[in-house]
Amino acid sequence: MPKNPAYLILLGPPMSGKGTQASHLIEQLGIPQVSSGDLFRENIKNQTRLGLEAKDYIDRGDLVPDQVTIGMVEDRLNREDCAAGALLDGFPRTIFQAEALDGILAELGASLSGVISVDVPEDVLVERASGRRICRLCGQSYNLTSNPPQKDGICDLDGGELYQREDDKPGTVRQRLAVYQAQTSPLIEFYRSRGILKEINGDKPIGDVGKDIAAVIAGL
Ligand code: AMP
């Protein structure tokens, strides 16, 4: 197990399964999942100023500007439940954000324990996006082919209605993947050169990927 506090990043393209894996791992790790995408969606749902500012970027498949994103994640990491660490999912997504994260962690007297990069071929990602459905109530994610709910359109956990995210529709998915290639994929080299990158094949059944990630984390 990584030393305490353990700040870990799950890095990977949209639809690589980072969010699903993170939500399974937090129980084992005893640290919260900090997902920038979830934080934005929560702000949009609650119609906060930050949510209104972020919405147009998200609907287009673009990144929300760094300053807005960094401020939001910094606030989250300063909450008490992150004192023992956090599993970051969807952040950082640019080199600028990665450098800002170093500063935020330094202020907390901490540093990154490891970065797990989940790799999935692009055609698989596009296919996954078209089948992804999310619960309106709890945010649980399903896939119509690989991880379907027991009842069509209904969340197994709380009976909430399942919906397709606006930004999972085909045109926006292609934009999100292009943005990932241009702005986020350089982080792989950034963290590899620091010797803290662990690479995982994400093109396997959810449970197998989860086991691989858990094994990597156990060895940190
Ligand atoms: P996700 O749920 O992680 O796929 O994020 C959904 C959308 O939220 C992304 O397509 C971006 O528009 C925005 N977003 C999430 N995380 C970040 C980030 N770290 N930097 C900028 N934009 C982000």
Side-chain angles (χ1 to χ4, degrees), residues 41-213:
R41 282 184 286 279
E42 219 173 279
N43 275 280
I44 292 172
K45 195 165 144 195
N46 296 332
Q47 302 190 332
T48 66
R49 227 176 86 182
L50 188 143
L52 292 175
E53 207 173 334
K55 186 174 185 315
D56 285 347
Y57 295 97
I58 294 176
D59 286 348
R60 283 198 304 269
D62 289 335
L63 294 187
V64 178
D66 280 336
Q67 294 304 349
V68 178
T69 308
I70 291 165
M72 177 182 75
V73 174
E74 180 168 20
D75 285 350
R76 181 69 189 86
L77 287 175
N78 273 289
R79 294 217 325 239
E80 210 176 304
D81 63 331
C82 291
L87 182 58
L88 288 157
D89 142 34
F91 182 91
R93 260 176 157 96
T94 63
I95 298 277
F96 189 82
Q97 290 179 13
E99 286 168 346
L101 176 63
D102 289 339
I104 295 169
L105 294 181
E107 287 279 319
L108 291 168
S111 60
L112 275 176
S113 306
V115 178
I116 297 135
S117 165
V118 183
D119 187 38
V120 180
E122 188 157 324
D123 52 338
V124 177
L125 298 173
V126 174
E127 164 86 35
R128 281 187 186 177
S130 68
R132 176 155 70 177
R133 296 293 182 274
I134 314 280
C135 173
R136 271 196 206 287
L137 297 180
C138 69
Q140 175 71 25
S141 179
Y142 296 87
N143 187 284
L144 297 184
T145 38
S146 61
N147 178 32
Q150 281 164 10
K151 274 194 220 149
D152 261 6
I154 307 281
C155 178
D156 294 348
L157 303 182
D158 57 15
E161 181 200 0
L162 303 185
Y163 76 104
Q164 183 173 35
R165 269 169 50 176
E166 204 46 50
D167 61 346
D168 276 349
K169 296 187 176 162
T172 318
V173 165
R174 273 190 289 276
Q175 171 63 7
R176 288 165 67 204
L177 291 173
V179 165
Y180 174 80
Q181 276 311 327
Q183 302 197 60
T184 307
S185 67
L187 289 177
I188 296 176
E189 200 42 55
F190 178 86
Y191 287 122
R192 184 184 287 134
S193 70
R194 284 197 191 177
I196 55 171
L197 186 81
K198 305 284 176 195
E199 295 179 82
I200 294 281
N201 174 11
D203 188 15
K204 297 206 275 186
I206 295 177
D208 293 352
V209 177
K211 280 185 199 141
D212 291 351
I213 296 177

